Amino acid sequence: MKNFFLENKIAGFVFDMDGVLLDSESVYEKAWRVVSEEMGLSDIDSLHKKCLGVSKSVVLNMFSEKYGDACDGEFFWKRTSDWSMDFMNKNGVPEKCGAKIVLDFLKSKKIPVALATSSEKAFAEKLLIKAGLLDFFDAIVFGDEVSNAKPDPEIYLASCRKLGLEAKNCVAVEDSPSGIKSANAAGLKCVMVPDRISADDETKKLTWKICGSLLDLKKIMEV
């Protein structure tokens, strides 16, 4: 019988959080629309799309470029974060299809798992605890623990170091082109599970596999 992990020399997995394990991007999108209306900002959806998978500092730079320094990006960030957390406190944290199932499967196979998220620690930990996902991870690197945001490879290299594994023997699971570029540059095999953005030709060249859902990824690993 074939062994997916031995055949592909895979010793560990590193997951992104937003858009991969949690359907939080849909909540953030709502928050951005609500707050942009409050602030009288136009064309917020196009900016939100560009900001998927990147850190706070990158978002603030893009925000300033689009709306000018006179528009308070820090206020926008805090207001959307507070709105999102309030929404999820009231309605629960939406989980992506198959998130717990695939994490539980990897745990049953004794495959080490890390999380590499652009979200800040204080915010992301709350979401992971509320979603019941925190205890699945052997290592976590948050966005405010690295100097360079995705698509820089730093966060994936740090995740592999925390697992004590070589990047070439790890698989990254991402939903955004920015995350795929980050993981690919770090030397991981890249699996894309598209969320808000489909894989373009450039992204496809950097991916090892593209799956419709995490359940599809589990089916591949069961072969």
Coordinates of all heavy atoms in Angstrom, one line a residue, residues 46-130:
S46 N -11.8 46.5 -3.9 CA -10.6 46.3 -4.7 C -9.3 46.3 -3.8 O -8.4 45.5 -4.0 CB -10.5 47.3 -5.8 OG -10.3 48.6 -5.3
L47 N -9.3 47.2 -2.8 CA -8.2 47.2 -1.9 C -8.2 46.0 -1.0 O -7.1 45.4 -0.8 CB -8.3 48.5 -1.0 CG -7.1 48.7 0.0 CD1 -5.8 48.8 -0.7 CD2 -7.4 49.9 0.9
H48 N -9.3 45.6 -0.5 CA -9.4 44.4 0.3 C -8.8 43.2 -0.4 O -8.1 42.4 0.2 CB -10.8 44.1 0.8 CG -11.0 42.9 1.7 ND1 -11.5 41.7 1.2 CD2 -10.6 42.8 3.0 CE1 -11.5 40.9 2.2 NE2 -11.0 41.5 3.3
K49 N -9.2 43.0 -1.6 CA -8.7 41.9 -2.4 C -7.2 41.9 -2.5 O -6.5 40.8 -2.4 CB -9.3 41.9 -3.8 CG -9.3 40.6 -4.6 CD -10.2 40.7 -5.8 CE -10.3 39.3 -6.4 NZ -11.2 39.4 -7.6
K50 N -6.6 43.1 -2.7 CA -5.1 43.2 -2.8 C -4.4 42.9 -1.4 O -3.3 42.5 -1.4 CB -4.7 44.6 -3.2 CG -5.1 44.9 -4.7 CD -4.7 46.3 -5.0 CE -5.1 46.7 -6.4 NZ -4.8 48.2 -6.7
C51 N -5.2 43.1 -0.4 CA -4.6 42.9 1.0 C -4.7 41.5 1.6 O -4.3 41.2 2.7 CB -5.2 43.9 1.9 SG -4.8 45.6 1.6
L52 N -5.3 40.6 0.8 CA -5.5 39.2 1.3 C -4.2 38.6 1.6 O -3.3 38.5 0.7 CB -6.3 38.4 0.3 CG -7.8 38.8 0.2 CD1 -8.5 38.0 -0.9 CD2 -8.6 38.6 1.5
G53 N -4.0 38.0 2.8 CA -2.8 37.3 3.1 C -1.6 38.1 3.5 O -0.5 37.5 3.6
V54 N -1.7 39.4 3.6 CA -0.6 40.2 4.0 C -0.7 40.8 5.4 O -1.8 40.7 6.0 CB -0.4 41.4 3.0 CG1 -0.2 40.8 1.6 CG2 -1.5 42.3 3.0
S55 N 0.3 41.4 5.9 CA 0.3 41.8 7.3 C -0.3 43.2 7.5 O -0.5 43.9 6.5 CB 1.8 41.8 7.9 OG 2.5 42.9 7.2
K56 N -0.4 43.6 8.7 CA -1.0 44.9 9.1 C -0.1 46.1 8.4 O -0.7 47.0 7.8 CB -1.0 45.1 10.6 CG -1.4 46.5 11.0 CD -1.4 46.7 12.5 CE -1.7 48.1 12.9 NZ -1.6 48.3 14.4
S57 N 1.2 46.0 8.5 CA 2.0 47.0 8.0 C 1.9 47.2 6.5 O 1.8 48.3 6.0 CB 3.5 46.8 8.3 OG 4.0 45.6 7.8
V58 N 1.7 46.1 5.8 CA 1.5 46.1 4.3 C 0.2 46.8 4.0 O 0.0 47.6 3.1 CB 1.6 44.7 3.7 CG1 1.3 44.8 2.2 CG2 3.1 44.2 3.9
V59 N -0.9 46.3 4.8 CA -2.2 46.9 4.6 C -2.2 48.4 4.8 O -2.8 49.2 4.0 CB -3.2 46.3 5.6 CG1 -4.6 47.0 5.5 CG2 -3.4 44.8 5.2
L60 N -1.5 48.9 5.8 CA -1.5 50.3 6.1 C -0.8 51.1 5.0 O -1.2 52.2 4.7 CB -0.8 50.6 7.5 CG -1.6 50.1 8.7 CD1 -0.8 50.4 10.0 CD2 -3.0 50.7 8.8
N61 N 0.3 50.5 4.5 CA 1.0 51.1 3.3 C 0.1 51.3 2.1 O 0.0 52.3 1.5 CB 2.2 50.4 3.0 CG 3.4 50.6 4.0 OD1 3.4 51.6 4.7 ND2 4.3 49.6 4.0
M62 N -0.7 50.2 1.8 CA -1.6 50.2 0.7 C -2.7 51.2 0.9 O -3.2 51.9 0.0 CB -2.2 48.8 0.5 CG -1.2 47.8 -0.1 SD -2.0 46.2 -0.5 CE -0.6 45.3 -1.2
F63 N -3.2 51.2 2.2 CA -4.3 52.1 2.5 C -3.8 53.6 2.3 O -4.6 54.4 1.8 CB -4.6 51.9 4.0 CG -5.9 52.5 4.4 CD1 -7.1 51.8 4.3 CD2 -6.0 53.8 5.0 CE1 -8.3 52.3 4.7 CE2 -7.2 54.3 5.4 CZ -8.4 53.6 5.3
S64 N -2.6 53.9 2.7 CA -2.1 55.2 2.6 C -1.9 55.6 1.1 O -2.2 56.7 0.7 CB -0.7 55.4 3.3 OG -0.2 56.6 3.2
E65 N -1.4 54.7 0.3 CA -1.2 54.9 -1.1 C -2.6 55.2 -1.8 O -2.6 56.0 -2.7 CB -0.6 53.7 -1.7 CG 0.9 53.5 -1.4 CD 1.5 52.3 -2.0 OE1 0.8 51.6 -2.8 OE2 2.7 51.9 -1.7
K66 N -3.6 54.5 -1.4 CA -4.9 54.7 -2.0 C -5.7 55.9 -1.6 O -6.3 56.6 -2.4 CB -5.8 53.4 -1.8 CG -7.1 53.4 -2.6 CD -7.8 52.1 -2.5 CE -9.1 52.1 -3.4 NZ -8.8 52.2 -4.8
Y67 N -5.6 56.2 -0.3 CA -6.5 57.2 0.3 C -5.7 58.4 0.8 O -6.4 59.4 1.2 CB -7.4 56.6 1.4 CG -8.3 55.6 0.9 CD1 -8.2 54.2 1.3 CD2 -9.4 55.9 0.0 CE1 -9.0 53.2 0.9 CE2 -10.2 54.9 -0.4 CZ -10.1 53.6 0.0 OH -10.9 52.6 -0.5
G68 N -4.4 58.4 0.8 CA -3.6 59.5 1.3 C -3.4 59.5 2.8 O -4.1 58.8 3.6
D69 N -2.3 60.2 3.2 CA -1.9 60.2 4.6 C -3.0 60.8 5.5 O -3.0 60.6 6.7 CB -0.6 60.9 4.8 CG 0.5 60.2 4.1 OD1 0.4 58.9 4.0 OD2 1.5 60.8 3.7
A70 N -3.8 61.7 5.0 CA -4.9 62.4 5.8 C -5.9 61.4 6.3 O -6.6 61.7 7.3 CB -5.5 63.5 4.9
C71 N -6.0 60.2 5.6 CA -7.0 59.2 6.0 C -6.3 58.3 7.1 O -5.3 57.8 6.8 CB -7.5 58.4 4.8 SG -9.0 57.5 5.1
D72 N -7.0 58.1 8.2 CA -6.4 57.4 9.4 C -6.4 55.9 9.2 O -7.4 55.3 9.5 CB -7.1 57.9 10.6 CG -6.3 57.4 11.9 OD1 -5.5 56.5 11.8 OD2 -6.5 58.0 13.0
G73 N -5.4 55.3 8.7 CA -5.3 53.9 8.4 C -5.3 53.1 9.7 O -5.9 52.0 9.8
E74 N -4.6 53.6 10.8 CA -4.6 52.9 12.1 C -6.0 52.8 12.6 O -6.4 51.8 13.2 CB -3.7 53.7 13.0 CG -2.2 53.5 12.8 CD -1.7 52.1 13.3 OE1 -2.5 51.4 13.9 OE2 -0.6 51.8 13.1
F75 N -6.8 53.9 12.5 CA -8.2 53.9 13.0 C -9.0 52.9 12.2 O -9.8 52.1 12.8 CB -8.8 55.3 12.8 CG -10.3 55.3 13.2 CD1 -10.7 55.4 14.5 CD2 -11.2 55.2 12.1 CE1 -12.1 55.3 14.8 CE2 -12.6 55.2 12.4 CZ -13.0 55.3 13.7
F76 N -8.8 52.9 10.9 CA -9.5 51.9 10.1 C -9.2 50.5 10.5 O -10.1 49.6 10.6 CB -9.2 52.1 8.6 CG -9.9 51.2 7.6 CD1 -11.1 51.5 7.2 CD2 -9.3 50.0 7.2 CE1 -11.8 50.6 6.3 CE2 -9.9 49.1 6.3 CZ -11.2 49.5 5.9
W77 N -7.9 50.2 10.7 CA -7.5 48.9 11.1 C -8.1 48.4 12.4 O -8.7 47.3 12.5 CB -6.0 48.8 11.2 CG -5.5 47.4 11.6 CD1 -5.2 47.0 12.8 CD2 -5.1 46.3 10.7 NE1 -4.7 45.7 12.8 CE2 -4.7 45.3 11.5 CE3 -5.2 46.2 9.3 CZ2 -4.3 44.0 11.0 CZ3 -4.8 44.9 8.8 CH2 -4.4 43.9 9.6
K78 N -8.1 49.3 13.4 CA -8.6 49.0 14.7 C -10.1 48.8 14.7 O -10.7 47.9 15.3 CB -8.2 50.1 15.7 CG -8.7 49.7 17.2 CD -8.3 50.8 18.2 CE -8.6 50.3 19.6 NZ -10.0 49.8 19.8
R79 N -10.8 49.7 13.9 CA -12.2 49.7 13.8 C -12.7 48.4 13.1 O -13.6 47.8 13.6 CB -12.7 50.9 13.1 CG -14.2 51.0 12.9 CD -15.0 51.5 14.1 NE -16.4 51.4 13.9 CZ -17.2 50.4 14.2 NH1 -16.7 49.3 14.8 NH2 -18.5 50.4 14.0
T80 N -12.0 48.0 12.1 CA -12.4 46.8 11.4 C -12.1 45.5 12.2 O -12.9 44.6 12.2 CB -11.7 46.6 10.0 OG1 -10.3 46.8 10.1 CG2 -12.3 47.7 9.0
S81 N -11.0 45.6 12.9 CA -10.6 44.4 13.8 C -11.6 44.3 14.9 O -12.1 43.2 15.2 CB -9.2 44.7 14.4 OG -8.2 44.7 13.4
D82 N -12.0 45.4 15.5 CA -13.0 45.4 16.6 C -14.4 44.9 16.1 O -15.0 44.1 16.8 CB -13.2 46.8 17.3 CG -11.9 47.2 18.1 OD1 -11.1 46.3 18.4 OD2 -11.8 48.4 18.4
W83 N -14.7 45.4 14.9 CA -16.0 45.0 14.3 C -16.0 43.5 14.1 O -17.0 42.8 14.4 CB -16.3 45.7 13.0 CG -17.7 45.6 12.5 CD1 -18.7 46.5 12.6 CD2 -18.2 44.5 11.7 NE1 -19.8 46.0 12.0 CE2 -19.6 44.8 11.4 CE3 -17.6 43.3 11.2 CZ2 -20.4 44.0 10.7 CZ3 -18.5 42.5 10.4 CH2 -19.8 42.8 10.2
S84 N -14.9 43.0 13.5 CA -14.8 41.6 13.2 C -14.9 40.7 14.4 O -15.6 39.7 14.4 CB -13.5 41.3 12.4 OG -13.4 42.0 11.2
M85 N -14.1 41.1 15.4 CA -14.1 40.3 16.7 C -15.5 40.3 17.3 O -16.0 39.3 17.8 CB -13.0 40.8 17.6 CG -12.9 40.0 18.9 SD -12.5 38.2 18.6 CE -10.8 38.3 18.0
D86 N -16.1 41.5 17.3 CA -17.5 41.6 17.9 C -18.4 40.6 17.2 O -19.2 39.9 17.8 CB -17.9 43.0 17.9 CG -19.3 43.2 18.6 OD1 -19.4 42.8 19.8 OD2 -20.2 43.7 17.9
F87 N -18.3 40.7 15.9 CA -19.2 39.8 15.0 C -19.0 38.3 15.4 O -20.0 37.6 15.5 CB -18.9 40.1 13.5 CG -19.8 39.3 12.6 CD1 -21.0 39.8 12.1 CD2 -19.4 38.0 12.2 CE1 -21.8 39.0 11.3 CE2 -20.1 37.3 11.3 CZ -21.3 37.7 10.9
M88 N -17.7 37.9 15.4 CA -17.4 36.5 15.7 C -17.7 36.1 17.1 O -18.0 35.0 17.4 CB -16.0 36.2 15.3 CG -15.8 36.2 13.7 SD -14.2 35.6 13.1 CE -13.3 37.2 13.1
N89 N -17.6 37.1 18.1 CA -18.0 36.8 19.5 C -19.5 36.5 19.5 O -19.9 35.6 20.3 CB -17.7 38.0 20.4 CG -16.2 38.0 20.8 OD1 -15.6 36.9 20.8 ND2 -15.7 39.2 21.1
K90 N -20.3 37.2 18.7 CA -21.7 37.0 18.7 C -22.2 35.8 17.9 O -23.1 35.1 18.2 CB -22.4 38.3 18.2 CG -22.3 39.5 19.1 CD -22.9 40.7 18.5 CE -22.8 41.9 19.4 NZ -23.3 43.2 18.7
N91 N -21.5 35.6 16.8 CA -21.9 34.6 15.8 C -21.1 33.3 15.7 O -21.4 32.4 15.0 CB -22.1 35.2 14.4 CG -23.0 36.4 14.4 OD1 -24.2 36.2 14.4 ND2 -22.5 37.6 14.4
G92 N -19.9 33.3 16.4 CA -19.0 32.2 16.3 C -18.0 32.5 15.2 O -18.2 33.3 14.3
V93 N -16.9 31.7 15.2 CA -15.9 31.8 14.2 C -16.2 30.8 13.1 O -16.2 29.6 13.3 CB -14.5 31.5 14.8 CG1 -13.4 31.7 13.7 CG2 -14.2 32.5 15.9
P94 N -16.4 31.3 11.9 CA -16.7 30.3 10.8 C -15.5 29.5 10.4 O -14.5 30.1 10.0 CB -17.2 31.3 9.6 CG -16.6 32.6 9.9 CD -16.4 32.7 11.4
E95 N -15.7 28.2 10.4 CA -14.6 27.3 10.0 C -14.7 26.9 8.6 O -15.8 26.7 8.0 CB -14.7 26.1 10.9 CG -13.7 25.0 10.7 CD -13.9 23.7 11.5 OE1 -14.3 23.8 12.6 OE2 -13.8 22.6 10.9
K96 N -13.6 26.8 7.9 CA -13.6 26.3 6.5 C -13.9 24.8 6.5 O -13.5 24.1 7.4 CB -12.2 26.6 5.8 CG -11.9 28.1 5.6 CD -12.8 28.7 4.6 CE -12.5 28.3 3.2 NZ -13.3 29.1 2.2
C97 N -14.6 24.4 5.4 CA -15.0 23.0 5.3 C -13.8 22.1 5.4 O -12.8 22.2 4.7 CB -15.7 22.8 3.9 SG -16.2 21.1 3.6
G98 N -13.9 21.2 6.4 CA -12.8 20.1 6.5 C -11.7 20.5 7.4 O -10.7 19.7 7.5
A99 N -11.7 21.7 8.0 CA -10.5 22.2 8.8 C -10.2 21.2 9.9 O -9.0 20.7 10.0 CB -10.8 23.6 9.3
K100 N -11.1 21.0 10.8 CA -10.8 20.1 11.9 C -10.5 18.6 11.4 O -9.7 17.9 12.0 CB -12.0 20.0 12.9 CG -12.0 21.2 13.8 CD -13.0 21.0 15.0 CE -13.0 22.2 16.0 NZ -13.9 23.2 15.5
I101 N -11.2 18.2 10.4 CA -11.1 16.9 9.8 C -9.6 16.6 9.3 O -9.0 15.6 9.6 CB -12.1 16.6 8.7 CG1 -13.5 16.6 9.3 CG2 -11.8 15.3 8.0 CD1 -14.6 16.5 8.2
V102 N -9.1 17.6 8.6 CA -7.8 17.4 8.0 C -6.7 17.5 9.1 O -5.7 16.8 9.1 CB -7.5 18.4 6.8 CG1 -7.2 19.8 7.3 CG2 -6.4 17.9 6.0
L103 N -6.9 18.4 10.1 CA -5.9 18.6 11.2 C -5.9 17.3 12.0 O -4.9 16.8 12.5 CB -6.3 19.8 12.0 CG -6.0 21.1 11.3 CD1 -6.5 22.3 12.2 CD2 -4.5 21.4 11.0
D104 N -7.1 16.8 12.3 CA -7.2 15.5 13.1 C -6.6 14.4 12.3 O -6.0 13.5 12.9 CB -8.7 15.3 13.3 CG -8.9 14.4 14.5 OD1 -8.3 14.6 15.6 OD2 -9.7 13.4 14.5
F105 N -6.7 14.3 11.0 CA -6.1 13.3 10.2 C -4.6 13.3 10.3 O -4.0 12.3 10.5 CB -6.6 13.5 8.7 CG -5.9 12.5 7.8 CD1 -6.3 11.2 7.7 CD2 -4.8 12.9 7.0 CE1 -5.6 10.3 6.8 CE2 -4.2 12.1 6.1 CZ -4.6 10.8 6.0
L106 N -4.0 14.5 10.2 CA -2.6 14.7 10.3 C -2.1 14.3 11.7 O -1.0 13.7 11.9 CB -2.2 16.1 10.0 CG -2.3 16.5 8.5 CD1 -2.1 18.0 8.3 CD2 -1.3 15.7 7.6
K107 N -2.9 14.6 12.7 CA -2.5 14.3 14.1 C -2.5 12.8 14.2 O -1.7 12.2 14.9 CB -3.6 14.9 15.0 CG -3.2 14.8 16.5 CD -4.2 15.6 17.4 CE -3.8 15.5 18.8 NZ -4.7 16.3 19.7
S108 N -3.5 12.1 13.6 CA -3.6 10.6 13.7 C -2.4 9.9 13.0 O -2.0 8.8 13.4 CB -4.9 10.1 13.1 OG -4.9 10.2 11.7
K109 N -1.8 10.6 12.0 CA -0.6 10.1 11.3 C 0.7 10.5 12.0 O 1.7 10.3 11.5 CB -0.7 10.6 9.9 CG -1.9 10.1 9.1 CD -1.9 8.6 8.9 CE -3.0 8.1 8.0 NZ -3.1 6.7 7.9
K110 N 0.5 11.3 13.1 CA 1.7 11.8 13.8 C 2.6 12.7 12.9 O 3.8 12.7 13.0 CB 2.5 10.7 14.4 CG 1.8 9.9 15.5 CD 2.6 8.8 16.1 CE 2.0 8.1 17.3 NZ 0.6 7.6 17.0
I111 N 1.9 13.5 12.1 CA 2.6 14.5 11.2 C 2.6 15.8 11.9 O 1.6 16.4 12.2 CB 2.0 14.6 9.9 CG1 1.9 13.3 9.1 CG2 2.7 15.7 9.0 CD1 3.2 12.7 8.7
P112 N 3.8 16.4 12.2 CA 3.9 17.7 12.9 C 3.2 18.8 12.1 O 3.3 18.8 10.8 CB 5.4 18.0 13.0 CG 6.0 16.6 12.9 CD 5.2 15.8 12.0
V113 N 2.5 19.7 12.7 CA 1.8 20.7 12.1 C 2.1 22.1 12.7 O 2.1 22.2 13.9 CB 0.2 20.5 12.1 CG1 -0.5 21.6 11.5 CG2 -0.1 19.2 11.4
A114 N 2.3 23.1 11.8 CA 2.5 24.5 12.3 C 1.5 25.4 11.6 O 0.9 25.0 10.7 CB 4.0 24.9 11.9
L115 N 1.4 26.6 12.2 CA 0.6 27.6 11.7 C 1.4 28.8 11.3 O 2.3 29.2 12.2 CB -0.5 28.0 12.7 CG -1.6 29.1 12.2 CD1 -2.6 28.4 11.3 CD2 -2.3 29.7 13.4
A116 N 1.3 29.4 10.2 CA 2.0 30.6 9.8 C 1.0 31.6 9.3 O 0.5 31.6 8.2 CB 3.0 30.3 8.6
T117 N 0.6 32.5 10.2 CA -0.5 33.5 9.9 C 0.0 34.9 9.9 O 0.8 35.3 10.8 CB -1.7 33.3 10.9 OG1 -2.6 34.4 10.6 CG2 -1.2 33.4 12.4
S118 N -0.5 35.7 9.0 CA -0.1 37.1 9.0 C -0.8 37.9 10.1 O -0.5 39.1 10.3 CB -0.5 37.7 7.6 OG 0.2 37.1 6.6
S119 N -1.9 37.3 10.7 CA -2.6 38.0 11.7 C -1.8 38.2 13.0 O -0.9 37.3 13.3 CB -3.9 37.2 12.1 OG -4.8 37.2 11.0
E120 N -2.0 39.2 13.8 CA -1.3 39.5 15.0 C -1.7 38.4 16.1 O -2.8 37.9 16.1 CB -1.6 40.9 15.5 CG -1.1 42.0 14.5 CD -1.5 43.4 15.0 OE1 -2.6 43.5 15.6 OE2 -0.7 44.3 14.8
K121 N -0.7 38.1 17.0 CA -0.9 37.1 18.0 C -2.1 37.3 18.8 O -2.9 36.4 19.0 CB 0.3 37.0 18.9 CG 0.3 35.9 19.9 CD 1.5 35.8 20.7 CE 1.4 34.7 21.7 NZ 2.7 34.5 22.5
A122 N -2.3 38.5 19.4 CA -3.4 38.8 20.3 C -4.8 38.5 19.6 O -5.7 38.0 20.3 CB -3.4 40.2 20.8
F123 N -4.9 38.8 18.3 CA -6.2 38.6 17.6 C -6.3 37.2 17.2 O -7.4 36.6 17.4 CB -6.2 39.6 16.4 CG -7.5 39.6 15.7 CD1 -8.6 40.2 16.2 CD2 -7.6 38.9 14.4 CE1 -9.8 40.3 15.5 CE2 -8.8 38.9 13.7 CZ -9.9 39.6 14.3
A124 N -5.3 36.6 16.6 CA -5.3 35.3 16.0 C -5.6 34.2 17.1 O -6.3 33.2 16.9 CB -4.1 34.9 15.3
E125 N -4.9 34.3 18.3 CA -5.1 33.4 19.3 C -6.5 33.3 19.8 O -7.0 32.2 20.1 CB -4.2 33.7 20.5 CG -2.8 33.1 20.4 CD -2.0 33.2 21.7 OE1 -2.3 34.0 22.6 OE2 -1.0 32.5 21.8
K126 N -7.2 34.4 19.9 CA -8.6 34.4 20.3 C -9.4 33.6 19.3 O -10.3 32.9 19.7 CB -9.1 35.9 20.4 CG -8.5 36.7 21.5 CD -9.1 38.1 21.5 CE -8.5 38.9 22.6 NZ -8.9 40.4 22.5
L127 N -9.2 33.8 18.0 CA -9.9 33.1 17.0 C -9.7 31.6 17.1 O -10.6 30.8 17.0 CB -9.6 33.6 15.6 CG -9.9 35.1 15.2 CD1 -9.7 35.3 13.8 CD2 -11.3 35.5 15.6
L128 N -8.4 31.2 17.2 CA -8.1 29.8 17.3 C -8.7 29.1 18.5 O -9.2 28.0 18.4 CB -6.5 29.7 17.3 CG -5.8 30.1 16.0 CD1 -4.3 30.1 16.3 CD2 -6.1 29.1 14.9
I129 N -8.7 29.8 19.6 CA -9.3 29.3 20.8 C -10.8 29.1 20.6 O -11.4 28.1 20.9 CB -9.0 30.1 22.0 CG1 -7.5 30.0 22.4 CG2 -9.8 29.7 23.2 CD1 -7.0 31.1 23.4
K130 N -11.4 30.2 20.1 CA -12.9 30.1 19.9 C -13.3 29.0 18.9 O -14.3 28.4 19.0 CB -13.4 31.5 19.4 CG -13.4 32.5 20.5 CD -14.0 33.8 20.0 CE -15.5 33.7 19.8 NZ -16.3 33.5 21.0

